[in-house]
Amino acid sequence: MDIKKVVVIGSGTMGSGISAHLCNANVPVTLLDLTTEISEKARDRIFKSKPPLLLDKTQINNIKVGNISNNFDVVKEADWVVEAVVERIDIKHNIYEKIFKNRKEGAIVSSNTSSIPIKVLSEKLTSLEKKDFCITHFFNPVRYMGLLEIVKNENNDLDKINSLKKFCEVELGKGAIVCNDTPGFLGNRIGVFAMQVAMTEAFKMKLSIEEADAIFGRPMGIPKTGVFGLYDLIGIDLMADVLKSFIKELSENDPFQEVAREIPLVKKLIETGYTGRKGKGGFYRMNKTGATKVMEAINLETGEYSISQKINVGSDKVDLKSLISREDKFGEYAWSVISKIIKYSSSLVPGITKDFNDIDEAMRLGFNWAKGPFEMLEEIGVENFFNKIDEFDGNEFLENLSKSKNQDFYGSRQKYTEIETLGKVKKKAISIDGNSSAQVYRFNDYNIVEFTTKANALDYDSMDALKKATDKPLIIINESMQFSAGVNLTYTMDFANKGDFKSIEKFIKYFQETCKHLKYSEHPVISAPSGLTLGGGFEVMVQSNFVASHTNIVVGLVETIVGLIPAGGGCKEMLARWLETEEAKKDPNYASLKVFDIIGYGKTATSPVEAEPMKYLKPEDKKIMNRNSLLEVSLEILNNNKDFKAPSEVKFNLPGKTVLPEMNKILEKLYNDKVILDHGLKVAQELAHVLSGGDTSIDKTLSEDDFYKLELDAFMRLIETKETQDRIKHTLATGKPLVN
Ligand code: NAI
């Protein structure tokens, strides 16, 4: 069945997120709530949301709003009605009665409930109505979270459920996993259990919250908010409600009960308004005294706050094997938490799903874990796991595995989708090599490079892997959250601290050489970005021959913010793009001024729709809603370009000094208004020099190499200054820019 019109009922967090995402997919949607005023406010929230729920804010009015008393007729036209009202069964039952009285024959009706079983939701429906009713459990924020859990009832029309699944996969870009009607389905059942284990073990082992978050984070392939940070983000009060619902729904002997018990400190936090980021603070709080802001962390034993400590666990890599065999409190904590998660998840197979693989996918898509529990088990190694684990009586999955000791128990990945994902294809590589910053997967007709560093920051090794992989068509793609946050600033600062600027210069030259090689090698190079694609990450993408971009990207050149200028070809490529415009053909200053504005402010785009007007992306670049499809689309591009020929080199005619007065006028105003200070002015002047073409004039022709040289020289002059180094250090320590 075709889904052409949708009505969403309930315009709170989830209803507004779902409507916004339908709008992203160009599906006409109407959002209803008790009053039109509430739905209108929801639309305002969508418009102002950060990170933005909409790909294109100008489309906001495509979300129609109304109220359930006067505008219910829209339900008659809808092919799909999504209920996202408060989690109260009486209210939901009333709404269903009204929907089924009005809906078009055969229209799908679904609930976004996070905890009410479908048997309870559908108990008042006729068997005919049940045919078209299911749960569609989206995650918050809807645009960004990949997981959609679909729960069927025993009467469902399966073809219809499948076509809904397909719609959500293709049009909405979701990883749609069909699961059983059990409390918390897959994602929350394991995800919330994992959070509770991480929290209760931290209390037991007397770890500070910063220590727990430092382990239950990046080293485990879990987002850096960790457990206490995530609690603050979700809302400590909301988590308490979620736990109450699990306690009520799950059997008394479910191990979840043990970790869901109320903790006195948590109760006190909620009672005193410390509900997390939305409240006065939570486990962490920002203490503002005058103009200074200090991040503080709670002491789990005393409940007192003190300045939050940065914890150095000595490794940035996800390496579970080493992590759990560390003989210190970090290793002990990691093993205790991981083993409990693996034990619990495996005990739930086949009860919550017969495919254990789906549990891993739910954790990946719903909680942004790099690996789910079963993949963690695979990585730790079956033998190693059973040597360490205490007991697992009654756990059929582990009992069987302990007998078979089959290290290859995992089998294929991402079974929930028919798409040939990177996760599936990687396993079929003929050979895998690489280094500490990137993996190279080699196939008969092409290679894949996947960056593997923190936020996929780029260094010499990342470039080396790219360069070596251009012996065949190359696809640059990855499974982690970011394509690349840019050049590794820690790596750069390590050299700067030693005064070793020669090594920085060598690195930047190699970066340039690699990017040039990507652009002009005889085989096509495709970048398939998702997430952060900034600075050096953008330069890799923009010097690839083709781009297949996920719709969730944050793209741009942000070097000026840390007192640098793009030096991997970013200035050059942006100029080349703007020089092609009609305006630039008439006005020799146009391109330089445009790019000066974009790079000078470090402008970023949060979607392809925003990226195109700045020319960070081109109209012909592919834009894809479902991240899982990036590889398939990239392979399709390869297939369609069998007779690929490398492009010819770009030549530049730029105004040189004659454009500088105009640029300086802009800078003067910013400086006088104190928007930029002394060093900001210096950085901007270096940028102006590069973008004007340096010592040139409009009748002289510059080559790409001339430009690389201009970029490099300006970059080196800046990195050698104390002020740029101060900016970098500040950003590395705080994640924020320094204005100097
Ligand atoms: P919310 O409290 O933000 O919004 C609920 C909305 O429903 C409110 O705008 C309210 O005015 C409206 N409402 C109440 N009674 C109504 C009625 N009779 N007719 C029309 N509208 C009515 O709630 P939220 O968080 O958006 O949750 C909605 C549903 O999604 C719940 O079932 C919840 O369990 C589920 N859910 C929530 C998630 C979250 O992170 N907040 C995640 C996944 C599911």
Side-chain angles (χ1 to χ4, degrees), residues 201-202 205-208 210-212 215 311-313 323-337:
E201 290 300 296
M205 293 187 178
K206 299 198 187 314
L207 255 59
S208 71
E210 300 99 306
E211 287 172 334
I215 294 298
I311 306 296
N312 184 358
V313 295
L323 184 66
I324 58 164
S325 39
R326 279 171 73 138
E327 286 179 356
D328 58 6
K329 61 180 171 184
F330 295 140
E332 215 179 298
Y333 175 70
W335 169 246
S336 183
V337 172

Side-chain angles (χ1 to χ4, degrees), residues 458-631:
L458 305 171
D459 57 20
Y460 202 92
D461 280 345
S462 332
M463 293 301 120
D464 218 37
L466 286 178
K467 200 149 181 225
K468 287 187 178 141
T470 50
D471 56 326
K472 285 182 196 162
L474 168 62
I475 302 171
I476 311 166
I477 185 170
N478 55 64
E479 284 197 281
S480 59
M481 282 173 76
Q482 324 298 3
F483 179 74
S484 168
V487 158
N488 186 340
L489 289 174
T490 311
Y491 169 82
T492 317
M493 274 315 286
D494 283 348
F495 292 124
N497 286 335
K498 288 185 277 183
D500 182 5
F501 295 103
K502 274 265 159 306
S503 292
I504 298 180
E505 187 170 355
K506 189 175 151 213
F507 166 54
I508 299 297
K509 273 190 177 157
Y510 194 50
F511 196 108
Q512 295 184 337
E513 200 183 305
T514 307
C515 287
K516 190 172 174 195
H517 186 70
L518 293 180
K519 193 170 172 187
Y520 296 113
S521 75
E522 62 176 305
H523 303 291
V525 174
I526 301 169
S527 275
S530 174
L532 298 183
T533 308
L534 298 174
F538 170 78
E539 289 173 318
V540 167
M541 180 198 87
V542 80
Q543 288 168 100
S544 305
N545 306 110
F546 302 95
V547 174
S549 170
H550 186 207
T551 43
N552 289 344
I553 48 160
V554 177
V555 59
L557 288 167
V558 290
E559 284 82 349
T560 53
I561 295 168
V562 288
L564 295 167
I565 60 122
C571 296
K572 163 180 79 78
E573 289 300 319
M574 288 298 282
L575 275 174
R577 289 182 175 197
W578 281 95
L579 279 168
E580 280 176 12
T581 57
E582 287 308 311
E583 292 92 330
K585 283 172 194 151
K586 289 180 221 136
D587 173 3
N589 291 350
Y590 182 79
S592 300
L593 285 168
K594 266 288 176 194
V595 182
F596 186 56
D597 180 60
I598 294 168
I599 301 182
Y601 284 108
K603 287 186 182 172
T604 53
T606 58
S607 72
V609 185
E610 288 178 11
E612 261 191 47
M614 287 191 259
K615 303 199 186 297
Y616 281 142
L617 284 178
K618 293 194 282 192
E620 62 265 37
D621 293 335
K622 301 273 184 254
K623 290 104 191 177
I624 301 135
M625 280 289 253
N626 192 331
R627 191 176 177 191
N628 275 335
S629 300
L630 290 182
L631 184 61

Side-chain angles (χ1 to χ4, degrees), residues 9-16 32-34 38 45 68 83-88 91-92 95 111-116 137-140 188 238:
I9 303 179
S11 68
T13 310
M14 295 311 293
S16 53
L32 300 181
D33 205 296
L34 292 169
I38 304 178
R45 275 200 322 273
I68 53 164
E83 169 275 303
V85 305
V86 280
E87 193 75 333
R88 285 240 326 253
I91 296 179
K92 291 194 192 272
I95 283 285
S111 170
N112 196 60
T113 184
S114 43
S115 63
I116 307 175
H137 182 229
F138 286 91
F139 279 63
N140 184 36
N188 283 346
L238 193 89

